[in-house]
Amino acid sequence: MRKHWMLYLMILPGIVYYLVFKYVPLMGSLIAFQNYQIFKGMLGSAWVGLDNFKFIFMYQDFYNVLRNTATIALFQLLFGFPAPIILALLFNEVRLMFAKRLMQSMFYLPHFLSWVVVGGIVFELLSNKGVVNMVRGWWGYEPILFMQEQAYFRTIVVLSGIWKEVGWGTIIYLAAITGINPNLYEAAVMDGANRWKQTLYITLPTLFPTILVLFLLNIGNFLELGFDQIYNLLTPMTYSVGDIIETYVYRAGVLQGQYSVTTAIGLFQSVIGFTLLWIFNRLARKTEQGLW
Amino acid sequence: MKITYGEKLFQIFNYVILAAAAATMLMPLVQLLAVSFSSPIAADSKQVFLLPVEFTTASWVHILQNKGLWTSFGITVYITVAGTLLSMLFSLLTAYPLSRKEFLVRKPIMLGIIITMIFNAPMIPFFLTVRELGLMNSLWSLILPGLIGTFNMIIIRTFFQGIPGELDDSARIDGCSDAGILFRIYLPLSKPVLATVSLFYAVGYWNTFQRAVLFIRDPNKWPLQMKLRAYLTSPEELAAVNLLLGDYAFNTTTLKAATILFATVPILLVYPYLQKYFVKGAMLGSLKE
């Protein structure tokens, strides 16, 4: 240990960072059990037990926000999660290397744009004067104000999410596909398997562990939809279907100062995420390796 | 290998589908570009598809004269450069000990770090912590709270672990210290991974939004994304300057298009150069288990 004192010195800044910006806020979650007063601070504020949680469970807004969050999360899982897997399988069938490379770099690009930019693009495309209504016009349809219609909000969230991240998501799967032993395919061809059968019986089963790990990581953050995306797509007209935990916590907590109550909501969200992760990890371990 | 009729059909179908989907990745940007170079009247009457109609650079001239936009641009450049450098330094200093077997506490520290990936602190305690530190309205609030991206740090650590141990044995015999090994041996060997992780950090800082929403209340200190968001939600402000100039019709559609692209151009410029690296980096990150 003495010989490597420098290593211990080097890690100090990192440890300070994790303590200050990760562990202190984690400890700070305890204000969910307090009647937190900004001027008294955490040490001076009164402890109220589970009062804040009782309060949110009696609160109509909370159920509305929770329902929105869970619905969007479910749709994202249902459509957003399989999208990169399917895309990776389709990429795998492309034999022209240059075409594959070119298309891949096109698919990766949106990942690097901010949600403000993507939100701006979505609003412009779907506006009254936007290209979608322009195309609808060619077919003689009346323009629709998509961003202000509650019926379209969740679809727009899921589709814009897929647009932004589907290409990036394929990277992991393509890496796993590259690792498959070519002998397996040759053997399958000998047995008379066509491409479809090869995909079904070799590629997909080999991808399964990767899919499982990513699924578990996903489920752990089930209710965390990402503040940036929703905040940049939401309008007052779509609050009733689009206001999620994170945007609500921002408005009620940061802007209106209801610190304890919104921390309770945040803690509730984390607990749900961890519980789901724990349950699915147990299920996964029955068939394959789980996360732990 | 013989190709059946069905497979051939699938191949054609596959190329068409993928090419069409790939095109939709670029088309919105091309369309915005066309709108931004079109006349306001053409843009508002739904004539502009992928090519400008009644070509004009007026929107670009207008937004490029917007001081507020340039101030925010400068702030974003500043936090991107300073933030990326600081993040890289902190990440390297953390990743290196964690990659060394001689570092006896690496397992408990690693566990402590992984825990922060599973248990995210809720937004409010995070907000209060940063506020308690006196970082409200300070550009440091855009950098410090995200100084180390755990995922990025693990990418570097994984790469370091792959460097053969004989290298540092021989360096040690030559009298090299741990810091010397990191900076003289490991860094030159890690250029591709350093480029990748720097890109990830830089893009992260360039796109910083949530932290700015939380911590920067002073509009004069808004980074580019916040400014962009403000202009997109109230385009009158964006157009206001040209009422003073008086040489350009009040039009928000073309101005919005130009502003969105303005915030995106730098990323579009570096993208082709860094592309060869980032796929490798993203894969390294995925193999952390």
Side-chain angles (χ1 to χ4, degrees):
Chain A
M1 188 161 161
R2 183 166 300 162
K3 208 174 116 198
H4 293 287
W5 61 271
M6 252 185 202
L7 294 178
Y8 294 83
L9 196 66
M10 275 181 193
I11 199 125
L12 262 182
I15 289 181
V16 171
Y17 166 77
Y18 277 100
L19 286 181
V20 172
F21 289 107
K22 301 284 182 183
Y23 278 92
V24 168
L26 223 44
M27 294 297 161
S29 305
L30 289 177
I31 67 168
F33 304 96
Q34 285 187 326
N35 178 16
Y36 182 79
Q37 306 281 319
I38 192 81
F39 296 110
K40 291 183 186 165
M42 217 179 121
L43 296 176
S45 297
W47 294 91
V48 295
L50 294 174
D51 280 7
N52 290 320
F53 291 91
K54 283 182 198 147
F55 177 75
I56 58 175
F57 287 120
M58 292 188 318
Y59 196 44
Q60 189 50 46
D61 272 15
F62 172 71
Y63 287 103
N64 190 31
V65 166
L66 183 64
R67 194 179 53 235
N68 290 343
T69 312
T71 315
I72 295 174
L74 201 67
F75 280 125
Q76 277 189 345
L77 197 68
L78 228 54
F79 299 103
F81 183 76
I85 304 172
I86 296 166
L87 184 62
L89 291 176
L90 293 181
F91 267 144
N92 192 39
E93 299 301 321
V94 174
R95 293 280 166 267
L96 290 169
M97 274 324 269
F98 95 93
K100 191 172 167 181
R101 292 261 161 74
L102 183 72
M103 289 193 291
Q104 276 176 307
S105 29
M106 287 160 80
F107 271 102
Y108 297 150
L109 179 67
H111 169 80
F112 293 93
L113 307 179
S114 75
W115 268 115
V116 186
V117 166
V118 176
I121 292 175
V122 170
F123 267 96
E124 289 309 298
L125 289 184
L126 296 178
S127 80
N128 193 20
K129 301 158 188 167
V131 86
V132 173
N133 275 320
M134 178 177 146
V135 173
R136 285 173 56 86
W138 294 346
W139 303 94
Y141 290 105
E142 288 295 307
I144 298 177
L145 289 168
F146 290 97
M147 296 312 289
Q148 286 150 27
E149 294 268 355
Q150 298 181 357
Y152 297 110
F153 185 78
R154 286 164 183 164
T155 315
I156 291 168
V157 168
V158 173
L159 283 180
S160 61
I162 291 177
W163 183 78
K164 191 168 183 296
E165 300 299 343
V166 67
W168 195 249
T170 59
I171 293 181
I172 285 176
Y173 297 114
L174 285 172
I177 291 175
T178 319
I180 299 174
N181 187 343
N183 292 340
L184 287 175
Y185 290 111
E186 280 162 30
V189 172
M190 297 291 278
D191 291 341
N194 58 24
R195 296 289 318 177
W196 171 241
K197 288 257 165 77
Q198 291 171 35
T199 306
L200 208 58
Y201 295 111
I202 300 174
T203 318
L204 262 181
T206 346
L207 279 184
F208 189 68
T210 314
I211 295 174
L212 198 66
V213 168
L214 289 182
F215 180 79
L216 289 174
L217 291 174
N218 224 304
I219 212 86
N221 301 322
F222 185 66
L223 292 183
E224 284 162 47
L225 300 179
F227 175 85
D228 283 12
Q229 178 183 12
I230 306 290
Y231 188 82
N232 281 301
L233 292 175
L234 208 53
T235 64
M237 276 80 89
T238 46
Y239 273 159
S240 64
V241 290
D243 200 15
I244 58 160
I245 292 180
E246 283 151 296
T247 48
Y248 179 77
V249 167
Y250 170 68
R251 276 205 324 278
V254 176
L255 296 184
Q256 292 164 23
Q258 302 180 34
Y259 297 120
S260 283
V261 172
T262 47
T263 304
I265 296 177
L267 213 52
F268 174 81
Q269 175 186 19
S270 309
V271 169
I272 296 283
F274 186 72
T275 313
L276 284 174
L277 178 64
W278 189 76
I279 293 171
F280 277 91
N281 193 52
R282 287 205 71 151
L283 292 178
R285 279 208 324 213
K286 290 210 167 118
T287 51
E288 287 254 352
Q289 283 294 307
L291 270 186
W292 67 78
Chain B
M1 201 163 63
K2 62 177 196 289
I3 298 167
T4 64
Y5 179 71
E7 278 170 17
K8 214 174 224 168
L9 201 68
F10 169 77
Q11 281 288 334
I12 295 167
F13 179 74
N14 192 23
Y15 275 101
V16 171
I17 289 283
L18 282 175
T24 54
M25 300 287 139
L26 294 189
M27 240 142 69
L29 292 172
V30 175
Q31 211 265 334
L32 279 190
L33 193 68
V35 168
S36 74
F37 281 113
S38 295
S39 77
I41 295 157
D44 281 348
S45 57
K46 298 189 222 179
Q47 295 174 25
V48 187
F49 193 45
L50 296 177
L51 286 173
V53 176
E54 298 168 29
F55 183 90
T56 163
T57 54
S59 304
W60 283 95
V61 170
H62 179 71
I63 67 152
L64 292 179
Q65 284 170 343
N66 184 321
K67 272 223 182 72
L69 211 51
W70 282 111
T71 310
S72 294
F73 184 87
I75 289 171
T76 293
V77 169
Y78 173 75
I79 61 161
T80 301
V81 173
T84 305
L85 288 175
L86 279 173
S87 285
M88 285 309 284
L89 181 68
F90 269 65
S91 306
L92 285 170
L93 289 179
T94 308
Y96 177 71
L98 290 175
S99 72
R100 315 297 318 197
K101 283 192 202 65
E102 310 89 74
F103 187 60
L104 299 171
V105 291
R106 78 178 191 287
K107 280 202 175 141
I109 292 183
M110 204 57 211
L111 183 70
I113 290 174
I114 300 282
I115 285 175
T116 67
M117 287 178 100
I118 299 175
F119 295 100
N120 276 326
M123 187 194 294
I124 298 299
F126 176 70
F127 169 75
L128 292 174
T129 305
V130 176
R131 202 168 86 161
E132 290 291 301
L133 290 167
L135 296 179
M136 283 301 277
N137 274 327
S138 153
L139 294 187
W140 287 110
S141 70
L142 302 177
I143 297 177
L144 293 181
L147 202 53
I148 300 179
T150 303
F151 214 67
N152 291 338
M153 192 273 292
I154 290 174
I155 293 178
I156 300 176
R157 172 178 171 263
T158 311
F159 190 86
F160 282 171
Q161 280 173 334
I163 294 176
E166 289 81 4
L167 266 176
D168 43 277
D169 288 344
S170 61
R172 219 172 278 284
I173 291 165
D174 292 340
C176 220
S177 68
D178 279 306
I181 291 176
L182 170 59
F183 288 104
R184 292 211 205 125
I185 315 265
Y186 274 42
L187 286 198
L189 287 173
S190 322
K191 271 182 202 147
V193 86
L194 297 183
T196 312
V197 176
S198 308
L199 169 74
F200 289 166
Y201 276 127
V203 171
Y205 283 114
W206 189 268
N207 290 339
T208 297
F209 180 70
Q210 189 181 4
R211 284 203 285 274
V213 171
L214 288 177
F215 305 128
I216 310 285
R217 296 282 160 79
D218 176 1
N220 295 319
K221 290 184 179 169
W222 274 349
L224 191 54
Q225 304 295 339
M226 278 292 275
K227 201 65 154 188
L228 174 62
R229 156 93 194 172
Y231 282 152
L232 291 179
T233 43
S234 63
E236 296 76 19
E237 272 183 57
L238 184 60
V241 184
N242 74 352
L243 291 179
L244 300 174
L245 296 172
D247 57 351
Y248 183 62
F250 185 98
N251 179 272
T252 54
T253 310
T254 58
L255 286 181
K256 277 190 194 173
T259 321
I260 294 171
L261 288 171
F262 178 79
T264 314
V265 163
I267 285 179
L268 296 181
L269 288 182
V270 294
Y271 183 74
Y273 295 99
L274 291 155
Q275 206 198 347
K276 56 181 172 184
Y277 292 127
F278 63 62
V279 171
K280 228 177 243 167
M283 268 157 55
L284 263 181
S286 65
L287 302 173
K288 71 187 170 65
E289 251 70 39

